[in-house]
């Protein structure tokens, strides 16, 4: 069963200590970490089309915007956070990586939704596997696991684990920073496609990713 933000807010023990957590966050971070959020696809590139006609490009953009909004509301902009696109436009893969380079980003997180002809559901994270960048690969895996833990435990998505791929945005970032590509569920699965139709669930996923990043940056970078 997939869980909404409202349910999570009231049942998790973490809501009791949230203020303490944020105060600790302010002390730990002497300077802002630069995060680039990359909502996949855009413009004429719709990405995957869900069973309910929901489009991957719309889901990724909504969640990216919400992550940035929650960073401002909950964390008082403690992360210096940017998006590779802020509206429904097609940005080249190379330009997405160039933005991270120009901003000297500490981490790069690309958001996507998965699709399959088979009956498959759940979340997974991809990292690039290059022997020359073993340290950054390990950091990428750590960041991916942190986001998966937060998302699957709080929201009820099946955890499909961390996998390796030669995706261009990973290949072009991994030599300089930890980089991951998050597959936030299968829009070809009825339950997961319907999940993203509700604004409260967009907020829930965004908060899970944001807190996964917080947990990682607070301990792993």
């Amino acid at each position: 069963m997939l869980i909404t933000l409202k349910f999570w807010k009231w049942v998790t023990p973490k809501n009791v200590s949230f203020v303490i957590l944020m105060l600790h966050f302010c002390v730990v971070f002497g300077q802002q970490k630069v995060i680039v959020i990359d909502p996949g696809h855009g413009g004429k590139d719709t990405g995957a089309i869900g069973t309910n006609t929901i489009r991957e490009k719309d889901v990724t953009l909504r969640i990216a915007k919400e992550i940035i909004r929650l960073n401002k509301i909950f964390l008082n902009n403690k992360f210096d956070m940017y998006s590779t696109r802020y509206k429904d436009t097609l940005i080249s893969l190379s330009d997405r990586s160039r933005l991270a380079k120009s901003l000297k980003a500490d981490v790069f997180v690309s958001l996507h939704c998965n699709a399959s002809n088979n009956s498959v559901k759940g979340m997974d994270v991809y990292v690039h596997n290059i022997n020359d960048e073993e340290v950054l690969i390990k950091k990428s895996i750590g960041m991916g696991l942190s986001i998966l833990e937060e998302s699957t435990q709080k929201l009820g998505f099946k955890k499909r684990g961390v996998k390796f791929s030669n995706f261009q945005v990973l290949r072009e970032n991994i030599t300089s920073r930890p980089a991951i590509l998050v597959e936030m569920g299968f829009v070809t699965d009825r339950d997961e496609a319907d999940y993203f139709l509700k604004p409260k669930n967009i907020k829930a996923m965004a908060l899970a990713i944001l807190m996964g990043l917080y947990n990682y940056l607070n301990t792993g970078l």
Side-chain angles (χ1 to χ4, degrees), residues 3-5 8-9 12-15 18 21-22 123 125 142-159 182 195 203-216:
I3 301 174
T4 67
L5 177 62
W8 175 14
K9 177 180 178 182
T12 175
K14 285 191 176 182
N15 72 324
F18 190 77
L21 182 66
M22 290 303 99
M123 290 183 63
V125 169
M143 180 166 60
L145 287 172
S146 182
I147 289 175
L148 279 178
E149 284 295 315
E150 197 71 21
S151 302
T152 57
Q153 288 185 14
K154 298 297 191 303
L155 306 180
F157 281 78
K158 177 183 177 181
K159 186 195 301 182
V182 184
Y195 182 84
K203 293 178 181 179
M205 178 61 73
L207 182 57
I209 292 172
L210 178 62
M211 294 312 297
L213 285 169
Y214 162 75
N215 293 337
Y216 166 72

Side-chain angles (χ1 to χ4, degrees), residues 76-127:
N76 195 27
N77 280 328
K78 293 302 176 182
F79 291 128
D80 191 11
M81 194 169 282
Y82 301 86
S83 179
T84 57
R85 64 183 180 97
Y86 292 89
K87 55 185 179 179
D88 186 19
T89 53
L90 180 61
I91 308 297
S92 74
L93 297 178
S94 295
D95 283 344
R96 296 169 195 250
S97 300
R98 288 192 190 101
L99 176 65
K101 181 179 179 180
S102 66
L103 292 171
K104 297 181 179 179
D106 291 292
V107 299
F108 180 91
V109 180
S110 190
L111 304 179
H112 289 262
C113 296
N114 224 329
S116 175
N117 292 325
N118 301 317
S119 179
V120 186
K121 60 173 61 180
M123 290 183 63
D124 40 21
V125 169
Y126 285 87
V127 303

Side-chain angles (χ1 to χ4, degrees), residues 190-210:
R190 173 64 66 178
D191 289 340
E192 294 185 352
D194 288 348
Y195 182 84
F196 291 117
L197 290 176
K198 298 179 180 179
K200 62 183 178 181
N201 294 341
I202 295 293
K203 293 178 181 179
M205 178 61 73
L207 182 57
I209 292 172
L210 178 62

Side-chain angles (χ1 to χ4, degrees), residues 19-36:
V19 174
I20 297 174
L21 182 66
M22 290 303 99
L23 288 173
H24 177 66
F25 184 95
C26 293
V27 172
V28 169
F29 279 80
Q31 65 181 46
Q32 289 178 308
K33 299 295 184 181
V34 179
I35 298 175
V36 170

Side-chain angles (χ1 to χ4, degrees), residues 16 61 175 186 195:
V16 178
L61 183 59
T175 56
F186 283 78
Y195 182 84

